[in-house]
Amino acid sequence: MSGNCNSCDNICSQNINLNNKKGLNQETIKAISKLKNEPSWMLDYRLNSFNFFKNKEMQNWGPDLSKLNFDDLSFYFDPKSKDSNSWENVNPEIKKTFDNLGVAKNSDESLAGQGAQYESEVVYHNLKKEWQDKGVIFLGTDMALKKYPEIFEKYFGTVIKYDDNKFSALNSAVWSGGSFIYVPKNVKIDIPLQAYYRIEQQNLGQFERTLIIADENSSVSYVEGCTAKNYSSNNLHSAVVEIIAHENATVKYYTVQNWSNSVYNLVTKRAIAHKNACVEWIDANIGSSITMKYPAVILAGENARTSILSLAIAGKSQIQDSGAKAIHLADNTTSKIISKSISSNGGNAIFRGKVKVVKNALNCKSFMQCDSLITDKISKAYAYPVLEIKENNTDVAHEASISKIADEQIFYLMSRGISSDDAQNLIINGFIESFTQNLPIEYAVEIERLVNFGLNNGGCDGI
């Protein structure tokens, strides 16, 4: 492969070019690590992860992933625009893409900081000075490994180990980019941080790695957006997100993913909440070919709590296999899981939810609800809730519903002078209102627009 220097046995970073190189082997992983000038422990971690990935069979449950051909994918693409804290330093063509997506224009108004990743690398990260002065760290994950190696090594891979599943192992082997956030004790960030991820290249895998640490009595909100250009062949997005919420900390994590129909979206997200901590996931999944994503929270400390709200939109030829998990390990912990899904134009929406309460975790409370709406006769919805309760002194409840838009509902609204499309949109917006009302207003409006566009056009195009 390119990158082997004639004068030595090592791989020289200045000669490495992995763009459009398909397939994955140890040499590619060594080249990625060398390109990033990583410490030896990270290279060892990557190689161990790759060995696990190679030997781990594809899961035999859930959607069929047999058409996902790893030999036809590139695992790294350098956009040739280095991580900068100024949009003026970003490659003009890349900046134009983010301008068209509305990302660059919103960087200074309502955010504490913003990041942007294009293909495999972070091209922009910025944090307002007032938060820098309070000790907050918000960087691309590669940069954080270089600048804060002790914090990084202390937490990296502690919530999701590389051998958690086949795709966490793949991410751990080839991760590049992502966000690193550290909020010091007693610092409460009152406006969100935001990061945006974009895939433009065909047959590319994007493997960002996000690590959020909220120290004692701190709080932070993080908004993540994702899109990709549409192609006839496949792209892969396989991220890993780890969150550590220390005692009395609060973390809110918003995701709005609007992938094109060529993307396999196979993501592992998990948080650990210590004593009196709170973790909220608000997760909107729109577009993609197949999505498999189940944000989880481990309630490890007394009085820890979580709320996981998810929305899945399955349009033509799409499978949205999503859900959530809450694991109660300590007394007086509480969890709430609310899932909404809409299936249209032959799309399949699958909910998988799990609540686990271990023995001797007393006075735990949990509520899980999944509601599915089907808009036509060719679409499908399924629900697979699991309650694993080992302690009797527990209050756990579950509700599920699957409903269809009735012709009578459409006819009634049309009799009031509303068009058929607008009538369906009204019904759908009412169905998802309990999800969107938990979002900041600008994101709620965007979600409603994307949902209506996707359903009325048989799927999203990633823009």
Side-chain angles (χ1 to χ4, degrees):
M1 59 174 290
S2 61
N4 284 326
C5 179
N6 292 329
S7 60
C8 63
D9 294 332
N10 296 322
I11 299 170
C12 296
S13 58
Q14 64 268 31
N15 294 327
I16 295 173
N17 182 8
L18 295 172
N19 290 1
N20 297 317
K21 174 181 168 51
K22 294 186 177 180
L24 185 61
N25 55 36
Q26 281 200 1
E27 293 307 308
T28 297
I29 292 168
K30 290 178 181 177
I32 292 173
S33 186
K34 185 72 176 179
L35 188 69
K36 296 174 179 293
N37 194 25
E38 292 178 342
S40 59
W41 73 265
M42 181 54 76
L43 175 58
D44 293 340
Y45 186 87
R46 288 181 182 274
L47 293 175
N48 289 334
S49 303
F50 178 59
N51 286 333
F52 182 87
F53 167 75
K54 280 193 307 180
N55 296 318
K56 180 71 173 177
E57 296 289 333
M58 193 74 84
Q59 65 261 26
N60 56 10
W61 56 272
D64 179 13
L65 301 178
S66 61
K67 293 182 180 178
L68 179 59
N69 184 358
F70 295 108
D71 293 331
D72 199 34
L73 289 172
S74 299
F75 289 82
Y76 178 87
F77 191 98
D78 185 353
K80 308 299 183 187
S81 184
K82 299 303 180 185
D83 190 352
S84 173
N85 61 5
S86 170
W87 281 111
E88 299 307 314
N89 296 329
V90 175
N91 178 298
E93 288 300 314
I94 295 175
K95 181 177 181 298
K96 182 179 178 182
T97 298
F98 285 113
D99 277 337
N100 292 337
L101 292 166
V103 175
K105 298 173 184 175
N106 297 329
S107 59
D108 295 326
E109 299 300 326
S110 58
L111 300 172
Q114 188 182 47
Q117 178 163 338
Y118 191 87
E119 317 298 16
S120 299
E121 291 291 349
V122 172
V123 297
Y124 175 82
H125 247 99
N126 198 10
L127 177 68
K128 288 182 177 176
K129 187 176 182 303
E130 66 176 289
W131 302 112
Q132 294 181 41
D133 292 343
K134 293 181 179 180
V136 176
I137 301 169
F138 179 48
L139 293 171
T141 308
D142 302 83
M143 186 70 74
L145 174 58
K146 291 183 174 67
K147 296 187 70 172
Y148 301 96
E150 293 182 356
I151 301 176
F152 192 100
E153 190 170 2
K154 179 179 179 181
Y155 291 104
F156 181 86
T158 58
V159 183
I160 301 171
K161 298 186 184 303
Y162 69 80
D163 59 356
D164 188 87
N165 62 75
K166 188 174 182 68
F167 289 94
S168 66
L170 177 60
N171 175 282
S172 298
V174 297
W175 73 270
S176 182
S179 292
F180 178 92
I181 299 170
Y182 173 76
V183 187
K185 291 180 182 179
N186 303 317
V187 174
K188 298 181 185 297
I189 307 177
D190 54 4
I191 52 177
L193 301 166
Q194 183 189 66
Y196 203 94
Y197 298 89
R198 176 70 179 179
I199 302 175
E200 281 281 318
Q201 289 292 317
Q202 190 172 12
N203 298 120
L204 177 65
Q206 189 178 64
F207 305 96
E208 82 269 15
R209 186 90 183 199
T210 293
L211 177 57
I212 299 175
I213 305 118
D215 217 325
E216 295 177 15
N217 198 36
S218 68
S219 66
V220 61
S221 298
Y222 176 77
V223 182
E224 170 194 74
C226 311
T227 59
K229 197 169 182 178
N230 201 12
Y231 289 107
S232 58
S233 57
N234 296 321
N235 288 90
L236 170 62
H237 175 253
S238 185
V240 166
V241 176
E242 299 178 282
I243 296 174
I244 298 97
H246 284 288
E247 185 172 341
N248 293 317
T250 298
V251 179
K252 295 181 179 180
Y253 195 111
Y254 301 88
T255 300
V256 181
Q257 295 193 327
N258 180 29
W259 293 115
S260 61
N261 293 350
S262 59
V263 174
Y264 282 76
N265 183 34
L266 311 172
V267 174
T268 307
K269 294 184 171 182
R270 191 172 303 151
I272 184 165
H274 293 283
K275 184 178 180 180
N276 296 325
C278 178
V279 175
E280 296 183 17
W281 296 100
I282 298 95
D283 197 57
N285 299 297
I286 304 169
S288 81
S289 172
I290 294 174
T291 284
M292 296 180 73
K293 183 165 53 164
Y294 323 96
V297 178
I298 301 169
L299 299 159
E302 190 174 357
N303 297 316
R305 59 198 186 279
T306 185
S307 172
I308 309 173
L309 307 179
S310 64
L311 173 66
I313 308 299
K316 183 179 180 181
S317 304
Q318 294 174 342
I319 299 175
Q320 296 284 356
D321 197 309
S322 59
K325 298 177 184 176
I327 312 298
H328 295 251
L329 301 182
D331 296 350
N332 302 313
T333 49
T334 60
S335 64
K336 180 175 71 174
I337 295 172
I338 306 291
S339 170
K340 297 278 185 178
S341 71
I342 302 173
S343 305
S344 70
N345 298 297
N348 288 353
I350 300 127
F351 168 79
R352 299 180 198 273
K354 181 175 183 178
V355 173
K356 180 178 181 179
V357 180
V358 301
K359 186 68 177 174
N360 297 325
L362 303 176
N363 301 316
C364 298
K365 296 179 180 178
S366 181
F367 177 69
M368 179 162 54
Q369 177 181 340
C370 52
D371 297 322
S372 301
L373 181 66
I374 300 174
T375 67
D376 53 45
K377 296 180 180 178
I378 59 173
S379 303
K380 298 177 181 177
Y382 305 89
Y384 301 102
V386 175
L387 302 177
E388 185 179 336
I389 312 301
K390 302 295 185 182
E391 173 55 51
N392 291 329
N393 189 0
T394 300
D395 184 0
V396 177
H398 168 252
E399 294 179 4
S401 69
I402 297 178
S403 56
K404 294 184 177 180
I405 295 180
D407 292 341
E408 292 80 4
Q409 292 175 291
I410 299 292
F411 179 77
Y412 175 82
L413 291 170
M414 291 178 66
S415 71
R416 266 59 183 171
I418 299 172
S419 70
S420 176
D421 285 347
D422 287 344
Q424 177 170 291
N425 291 344
L426 277 174
I427 295 170
I428 288 171
N429 290 342
F431 178 75
I432 67 174
E433 184 180 10
S434 61
F435 177 87
T436 56
Q437 68 185 6
N438 289 282
L439 297 171
I441 184 63
E442 60 271 32
Y443 299 105
V445 171
E446 181 67 3
I447 288 288
E448 289 185 359
R449 186 188 71 82
L450 291 172
V451 169
N452 293 328
F453 178 85
L455 294 176
N456 291 330
N457 291 276
C460 300
D461 64 356
I463 299 297

